[in-house]
Amino acid sequence: MAVLFKMPVLLGFFVGLMVLGLASSAEFHELFQPGWANDHFIYEGELLKLKLDNFSGAGFASKSRYLFGKVSMQIKLVEGDSAGTVTAYYMSSEGPYHNEFDFEFLGNTTGEPYLLQTNVYVNGVGNREQRMNLWFDPTKDFHSYSLLWNQRQVVFLVDETPIRVHTNMEHKGIPFPKDQAMGVYSSIWNADDWATQGGLVKTDWSHAPFVASYKGFEIDACECPVSVTTDEIAKKCSSSAEKRFWWDEPTMSELSLHQSHQLVWVRANHLVYDYCTDTARFPVKPVESNQSIESRIRKEEMGGYMALKGMHVGQC
């Protein structure tokens, strides 16, 4: 699909006053460790490569867990024929009632665009898939993929452009992921039973190994050692009169009008599937889907100087 135009990079989107924030911007081995298939890791200075062949994929995990903050890494996806492969980058807690935020890059045949699938699990329940193509070729260069998470929202970003927001709507009885620390993970694996055209196109192993490349590992979040209890985590990672985390600053609680315009642009030009509009799966529209980003923007624009006040972007 042709690119209509290049989305301007939003500079300084999540630059905030950091007070007692736990910042980490480091080499791979400082923040992460191999999770499986160590022989499928390639280290080239600050660059990490994971490879998938017909013997195995590979994956890595963060050494610590986190509750709130921002996680970023730069990824260059598998070039050429990547059909059947999935490169996943996500945050997740553990157990049957886990929380999880997913970036899943679904490979495709040569010349066809990658699809980026995002999903949100809360208390073990997912089924919130959205799929989009991107406004650039993610196999030609590195691009930044980030998750911002606080008590008000979860924001998925590509090159600092918001592509999805999951808002805290507990006031409507919808659970929000706010009490489980999560690890950070990435992997490359074979999923040709579903990844490309619903599984119609299989992995062509003659093109193996399939290689995804990584650099620019950044975690600026509240670190939670495995030994810390849930109550201790909540206390440790909540702002108070004595300490203030940057992600709890008012400017981090919602998107600005400009950021909401960017999100609308992404959805209008690149979204190809949204669970909120899938009536076959959801005959009754999900509760969190009953907000219109566009209508809120119109109201805010009419408000003039109040445009930056009170805007909450919904899940869909």
Side-chain angles (χ1 to χ4, degrees), residues 179-197:
D179 57 2
Q180 297 182 38
M182 295 198 230
V184 184
Y185 304 87
S186 189
S187 59
I188 183 170
W189 46 289
N190 179 45
D192 65 3
D193 58 332
W194 66 272
T196 306
Q197 296 183 31

Side-chain angles (χ1 to χ4, degrees), residues 120-178:
V120 176
Y121 286 76
V122 183
N123 297 337
V125 179
N127 297 323
R128 299 180 175 93
E129 297 91 347
Q130 293 182 2
R131 289 186 179 184
M132 64 181 59
N133 53 53
L134 295 165
W135 52 94
F136 53 83
D137 184 342
T139 73
K140 298 303 182 184
D141 204 351
F142 287 90
H143 292 269
S144 177
Y145 303 93
S146 307
L147 289 161
L148 172 77
W149 177 29
N150 57 35
Q151 297 194 55
R152 296 289 299 276
Q153 61 180 356
V154 181
V155 184
F156 294 72
L157 302 111
V158 175
D159 290 336
E160 296 303 312
T161 296
I163 66 165
R164 180 172 184 170
V165 176
H166 184 82
T167 305
N168 187 334
M169 298 175 64
E170 290 179 299
H171 64 287
K172 293 192 173 183
I174 301 172
F176 184 78
K178 65 177 185 179

Side-chain angles (χ1 to χ4, degrees), residues 55-103:
F55 295 101
S56 179
F60 61 82
S62 60
K63 295 180 178 180
S64 295
R65 300 176 304 159
Y66 304 90
L67 183 68
F68 307 133
K70 187 180 180 184
V71 175
S72 302
M73 62 180 68
Q74 296 177 43
I75 306 173
K76 183 167 71 170
L77 298 175
V78 176
E79 295 188 62
D81 189 344
S82 58
T85 71
V86 172
T87 303
Y89 160 46
Y90 59 103
M91 296 187 71
S92 182
S93 57
E94 298 178 356
Y97 302 104
H98 72 291
N99 297 331
E100 183 175 334
F101 313 140
D102 295 336
F103 281 99

